[in-house]
Amino acid sequence: MSNSSQNRRQFLKNTGKAGIALASAPILGAWNFSTSEFQQQALPYAYNALEPFIDAMTMEIHYTKHAATYAKKLADACVAEKVDTTQVSLTNLLGTISKYSAKMRNNAGGHFNHEFFWQIMKPSPATTPQGELAEAINKSFGSYTAFQTAFADAAKARFGSGWAWLIKKTDGQLAVCSTANQDNPLMDIAEIKGTPIIALDIWEHAYYLKYQNRRPDYINSWWNLVNWELAGKKYNAVG
Ligand code: MN3
């Protein structure tokens, strides 16, 4: 185990259930904590910040166990398959993922998807899309409500584990889709390719403690957490 991962474990242990939202860049720097996109970043809020829609225990286990494991195994795969993470971006790796092992595919996807997921949620967000993204959603789906239905349908229809996405395709159009396992629309093997705007984790580990088998209830609740401000920025940033 590297010093930085030991430090990180100790850090997580010390901060415990209070969450790690108070961690600031200078402190992380002093702990020799890399800000590489290949490594797990601090959650932008406390474990309990998304309650009552996502409970603190789910967030803690999801972040410290599931997501942390993807990051760790991605690092292992990068060493084994000689990916120089100082030279290759995570997006580029995903775009050429068909050249790598299943381990790389599962863990590069798992790491990217979770880092994206934490960012695209926040406590008490704006409740609807804003600005150009709002206009594009109305144009593509007819209304925000119709978009929500299409997205929820994609999430409900995914058999087993996976993700639901709103993406901006390379032709500039918005689309809703879902991917199996830890695949995502940035991968060269994706059925529908594009840049993620929002994403919902529909693995049971993301909702089972609170919602058990009721995936539709989890999806309905999740609209209360979507960080539409950031989604709008992501939409505007895609050429
Ligand atoms: Mn997950």
Side-chain angles (χ1 to χ4, degrees):
M1 190 185 295
S2 70
N3 284 338
S4 69
S5 77
Q6 271 174 347
N7 286 344
R8 174 159 192 85
R9 274 163 197 252
Q10 192 59 43
F11 178 54
L12 288 169
K13 201 172 159 193
N14 291 346
T15 51
K17 287 192 176 181
I20 55 173
L22 299 179
S24 65
I27 291 171
L28 295 174
W31 286 31
N32 192 27
F33 183 89
S34 171
T35 55
S36 162
E37 60 177 348
F38 282 81
Q39 292 185 273
Q40 191 178 39
Q41 303 299 304
L43 261 191
Y45 36 72
Y47 297 132
N48 66 0
L50 305 182
E51 290 195 346
F53 310 111
I54 299 180
D55 60 285
M57 184 174 281
T58 295
M59 284 301 296
E60 182 175 357
I61 296 171
H62 202 174
Y63 178 83
T64 64
K65 307 293 183 194
H66 296 277
T69 301
Y70 293 122
K72 168 75 171 62
K73 289 187 174 175
L74 171 60
D76 294 345
C78 285
V79 171
E81 298 177 46
K82 298 184 171 42
V83 171
D84 182 349
T85 59
T86 65
Q87 299 298 317
V88 179
S89 74
L90 185 53
T91 302
N92 286 345
L93 176 65
L94 293 167
T96 55
I97 204 73
S98 61
K99 295 188 197 168
Y100 297 93
S101 69
K103 178 175 178 174
M104 184 73 87
R105 175 172 166 176
N106 290 335
N107 292 292
H111 174 63
F112 175 90
N113 295 352
H114 286 90
E115 290 291 310
F116 187 94
F117 186 52
W118 313 137
Q119 295 289 331
I120 212 63
M121 297 188 290
K122 65 179 285 195
S124 307
T127 51
T128 56
Q130 313 289 312
E132 286 176 43
L133 176 57
E135 289 169 29
I137 285 174
N138 288 337
K139 199 174 148 209
S140 297
F141 300 97
S143 67
Y144 176 56
T145 309
F147 154 72
Q148 285 181 298
T149 302
F151 186 92
D153 286 349
K156 289 180 215 166
R158 168 55 54 191
F159 183 77
S161 299
W163 291 77
W165 304 89
L166 172 66
I167 61 170
K168 189 173 185 181
K169 294 187 296 179
T170 44
D171 65 5
Q173 298 298 303
L174 287 175
V176 158
C177 61
S178 85
T179 53
N181 303 316
Q182 295 295 354
D183 288 352
N184 69 46
L186 292 169
M187 291 180 171
D188 56 355
I189 46 83
E191 238 173 276
I192 305 177
K193 295 181 193 61
T195 303
I197 307 297
I198 70 171
L200 174 59
D201 188 339
I202 45 179
W203 284 57
E204 281 187 346
H205 68 228
Y207 64 85
Y208 201 83
L209 290 180
K210 184 176 175 70
Y211 297 94
Q212 293 84 47
N213 61 319
R214 303 187 305 277
R215 186 189 285 182
D217 292 352
Y218 162 64
I219 298 166
N220 279 339
S221 289
W222 185 71
W223 294 118
N224 293 291
L225 299 173
V226 179
N227 185 348
W228 284 117
E229 191 184 27
L230 181 61
K233 285 181 187 162
K234 289 182 181 294
Y235 176 79
N236 291 342
V238 187

